[in-house]
Amino acid sequence: MPRQLHLSAALDSPGRFDAAHFTDLARLAERATLDFVTLDDSYTPEPGRLDALATFARLAPVTSGLGLVPTVTTTHTEPFHTSIAVNTLDWVSEGRAGWLVGVSDTEAEARAFGRRGTAPAEELWAEAADAADAASRLWDSWEDDAEIRDAATGRFVDRAKLHHIDFEGPYFSVRGPSITPRPPQGRPVIAVTVAAADLAPDAGPGGRARVATAVRHADVVLLDAPDRATRLTAATELRLRGGEVLRILARIPVALTTAAATADLLTEATEGGGGVDGFHLVPADPARDLAVLADHVVPALRERGLFRTGYTGRTLRDRLGLARPASRYAAAAATPATATAAATDTSAAGTPAAGTPTRSAATAEVTR
Amino acid sequence: MTDRPLKQIHLAAHFPGVNNTTVWTDPAAGSQIAFESFRHLAATAERGRFDFLFLAEGLRLREVKGRIHDLDVLGRPESITVLNALAAVTTHLGLAATVNATFNEPYELARRFASLDHLSGGRAAWNVVTSSDAFTGENFRRGGYLDRADRYTRAAEFVQLAREFWDAAGTGTVRHQGPQFDVEGTLSLPRPPQGHPVVIQAGDSDEGREFAAATADVVFSRHSTLAAGQAFHADVKRRLAAYGRKPDELKIMPGVTWVLGDTEEEAVERAAGIRRAQVSPATAIAYLEQVWGVDLSGHDVDGPLPEVDPVRGSGLVQGRTSLGDPLEIAAEWRAVAAAKGLSSRELVIEVTGRQSFVGTPRSVAEQIDRHVQSDAADGFILVPHLTPGGLDEFVDRVVPLLQERGVFRTEYTGTTLRDHLGLPVPGRR
Ligand SMILES: Cc1cc2nc3c(=O)[nH]c(=O)nc-3n(C[C@H](O)[C@H](O)[C@H](O)COP(=O)(O)O)c2cc1C
């Protein structure tokens, strides 16, 4: 079987505030069996938009296979709230949540919160890395089998399996544990957008900090590059630093107004795009372009054996060929199991952790 | 009573809480976190034509003796995210989230509630709570810096600012300078369908009641008995005039529990069984320790109350509302135990959280109606003891009787939560 592509798309629709619009887009994306969709967010007055994570929570019950990866920013928000919101998106989507990490670098956003001024990009991204770290530790702070419901002793949880995270950094500290049990995917998928220029030898401190965040915390990188050669260089560098488990998708704008545009996209996708695992499409008109994608591009890719014909597995991690990580605290504690522990009710919780403790294990959908 | 027309009852469904009211040992007890549990309760509430579904909040797991309290159900989702998901599988039900004013910022929260209101077609509500303990603060940037006295100062300015953001949404910028907040911002979305999402308040102190009278649409109270309910209702409604508000602009909804039986005796028996399940021996000890402030792990709960006196301010229990002065409570409990000949566990069962309404469906419907018609409440927030099916029987057996009495809607007549509560869309100021 030829190498399988990963495909995703942005649903950004400035000026749209109705659930029906986003539901229609999600249905198109699901018809195209995309890996996931993204939705951008910020606290700037323009463009007009709803809270991205809220919008994707609204889509979760009306979709079944599509990954949902909203932008959530880290500059003015509380890492604890972000962690439980992304965690909850994973629960309501039964394992299809991700988080596209963003920062707020405008004066307008700082004024809207009134808590601090703007800061240089390298500081914002260093803080974003800490927020991703703290959030991820909070996801791990409940071991998968913490809930025991042991009527004999009257204990609902085994508190040895709940952990304070005691995160301390220059920007904030968080004690933990989370108030929300470990999400179905263990850790929802973390994505970061990186530009090829951020990886260049002459990259500024902001770009370098962004790359450092991606390399340390991301499962998926959305890569901006002006041409294929630059993309290849950047992707190679990213893989060197982030390891083989990093999924790299080239972020490309599309406007599928003509047959020629559609053919170009198809050619690019078929040729693989230069060192990347697939493409993140940013449509000029999501409703129009996703329809063309679902009706023309994806069927052609399927015919060539390059893209899935249906969803297999349940979670976004399954889709991306990423293993479900074990809680870092479970590994650290390594206590003998409490023999009486009854199984946690995980009936709606996707695949349990069983025996896939490392980031590097790949599942069937990806064949490199 | 006067010959005024019958009051219409408002009903809300509380997702079973993170405390010992929620019985997890029952074979019918399901997941506290799976979306299906939330969907089930929301579907039941909507089938019963309820006003809204209500989610509580607790931002730090409770600790006892420096360790996580492990006896009660534990773990809950982030409320607003769950409600946005529920908006997809319901059509009329109001969706209320408890969110703390101390550990959030007005711009962000105004935007999140406005988004929920848009995504649900005008069904959002915000229960503004104000806890500010340093223990919870350890999970947040802000820490626990607020004085008790400042909680409502911040909350009042917070809500006022949120309303300014909602009013300006889609048309302009809010510039606000006050003691708590100095901000300038523009929401990236139009005014919410309800104008302002419904504001609920759940504090009980004098400042809390004043805050409710000034700004809330609904009060979630803990005064569920007839006499206490009437006193609270009168007190809070009396405060409204000072703010130019009419009595029916604020709905008072105590949180209540109930137990049904085919006969009164059966209901009483079921109620006692549920109380025993709610207060396991370990839970009885936890309650005693909360008052006594000392380690009582070796105490025999089937024997009398501890002989030692409680210790004030021990900090043994964290993240839980204080019950009051420990010495006074212990004296009170000892008197009750002596008068009724109760063991420690029986005493805890006796003095904590007895069910509000116990009886046949007909008698429970009558009790609920009587409370509302005699101004002990304008409606109730029903707290089931079982997740997720604990409301099913009430909707199947009690709601039809309330409808028969002509005091509860048989169909939704509007689409927004304000419609259900009979509250107008606020004008822009
Ligand atoms: C019925 C009721 C429900 C409450 N629910 C919550 C809750 O879910 N989360 C929370 O943090 N505080 C909750 N509170 C606490 C209140 O917001 C408030 O902090 C507390 O009552 C102390 O304020 P007071 O001194 O005005 O009573 C609740 C209070 C009442 C009376």
Side-chain angles (χ1 to χ4, degrees), chain A residues 40-178:
Chain A
D40 204 4
D41 207 354
S42 76
Y43 296 113
T44 55
E46 298 287 339
R49 58 180 156 207
L50 299 163
D51 180 88
L53 190 139
T55 308
F56 276 4
R58 175 68 178 70
L59 296 182
V62 296
T63 51
S64 58
L66 188 64
L68 300 166
V69 186
T71 294
V72 183
T73 56
T74 58
T75 308
H76 300 296
T77 49
E78 287 283 0
F80 191 88
H81 291 321
T82 303
S83 172
I84 61 175
V86 174
N87 184 334
T88 301
L89 183 62
D90 209 43
W91 280 106
V92 300
S93 65
E94 298 180 349
R96 294 182 285 124
W99 169 22
L100 182 54
V101 180
V103 302
S104 305
D105 58 3
T106 68
E107 183 63 30
E109 289 164 288
R111 287 291 300 133
F113 282 77
R115 199 158 62 172
R116 60 196 271 195
T118 50
E122 66 265 34
E123 200 179 309
L124 298 180
W125 278 103
E127 183 178 11
D130 276 6
D133 193 10
S136 166
R137 286 171 187 276
L138 286 168
W139 296 331
D140 281 358
S141 67
W142 286 58
E143 293 182 34
D144 289 308
D145 52 357
E147 188 179 313
I148 52 171
R149 298 192 183 225
D150 184 29
T153 58
R155 294 177 311 143
F156 184 76
V157 291
D158 176 356
R159 60 185 160 200
K161 296 187 173 184
L162 299 178
H163 304 273
H164 292 119
I165 68 164
D166 287 318
F167 182 91
E168 303 267 356
Y171 311 101
F172 56 83
S173 58
V174 178
R175 175 102 166 105
S178 183

Side-chain angles (χ1 to χ4, degrees), chain B residues 14 54-59 76 98-100 127-132 148 151-152 201-209 220-223 253-255 321:
Chain B
H14 191 302
F54 181 96
L55 301 180
E57 180 187 74
L59 293 171
R76 49 182 148 203
T98 301
V99 183
N100 203 295
N127 178 34
V128 184
V129 294
T130 57
S131 36
S132 61
R148 223 190 114 73
R151 296 178 307 139
Y152 282 110
Q201 192 276 349
D204 199 32
S205 60
D206 190 59
E207 304 101 290
R209 294 176 187 205
F220 177 17
S221 103
R222 56 167 73 103
H223 303 286
M253 301 178 66
T321 325

Side-chain angles (χ1 to χ4, degrees), chain A residues 41 88 127 156 164 176 180, chain B residues 63 70 76 78 111 139 141:
Chain A
D41 207 354
T88 301
E127 183 178 11
F156 184 76
H164 292 119
T180 309
Chain B
E63 293 185 7
D70 56 0
R76 49 182 148 203
E78 194 280 312
R111 187 168 181 267
N139 282 337
R141 292 175 186 266

Side-chain angles (χ1 to χ4, degrees), chain B residues 211-403:
Chain B
F211 172 61
T215 200
D217 301 303
V218 174
V219 174
F220 177 17
S221 103
R222 56 167 73 103
H223 303 286
S224 55
T225 63
L226 191 69
Q230 285 174 327
F232 181 81
H233 189 276
D235 177 66
V236 174
K237 298 263 177 168
R238 192 185 307 125
R239 296 170 190 250
L240 287 168
Y243 302 96
R245 305 180 68 198
K246 294 197 280 299
D248 63 354
E249 288 177 42
L250 177 64
K251 310 294 179 199
I252 294 178
M253 301 178 66
V256 290
T257 54
W258 72 96
V259 183
L260 302 178
D262 288 336
T263 62
E264 294 293 326
E265 298 70 44
E266 192 200 21
V268 168
E269 207 172 289
R270 279 180 79 188
I274 292 167
R275 290 297 294 137
R276 271 194 301 279
Q278 288 169 330
V279 184
S280 68
T283 294
I285 286 184
Y287 262 107
L288 296 178
E289 287 178 339
Q290 198 186 347
V291 171
W292 261 258
V294 294
D295 183 348
L296 294 171
S297 40
H299 182 71
D300 174 15
V301 292
D302 295 322
L305 287 171
E307 273 163 31
V308 293
D309 276 330
V311 179
R312 277 206 186 96
S314 73
L316 188 78
V317 177
Q318 293 273 24
R320 191 173 231 180
T321 325
S322 152
L323 297 170
D325 179 70
L327 289 172
E328 279 172 30
I329 295 169
E332 218 176 280
W333 286 11
R334 282 186 173 131
V336 174
K340 301 195 178 177
L342 303 178
S343 70
S344 296
R345 184 179 176 197
E346 289 163 345
L347 183 277
V348 173
I349 289 173
E350 177 73 17
V351 298
T352 61
R354 237 188 311 172
Q355 293 96 344
S356 320
F357 302 122
V358 177
T360 62
R362 190 157 298 282
S363 114
V364 167
E366 274 166 16
Q367 293 174 64
I368 286 176
D369 191 22
R370 174 163 13 101
H371 277 238
V372 171
Q373 302 310 333
S374 55
D375 284 341
D378 298 316
F380 293 101
I381 294 181
L382 299 173
V383 189
H385 75 278
L386 272 185
T387 307
L391 190 68
D392 297 2
E393 198 183 12
F394 184 92
V395 164
D396 292 335
R397 302 183 69 187
V398 180
V399 166
L401 299 175
L402 294 172
Q403 290 167 333

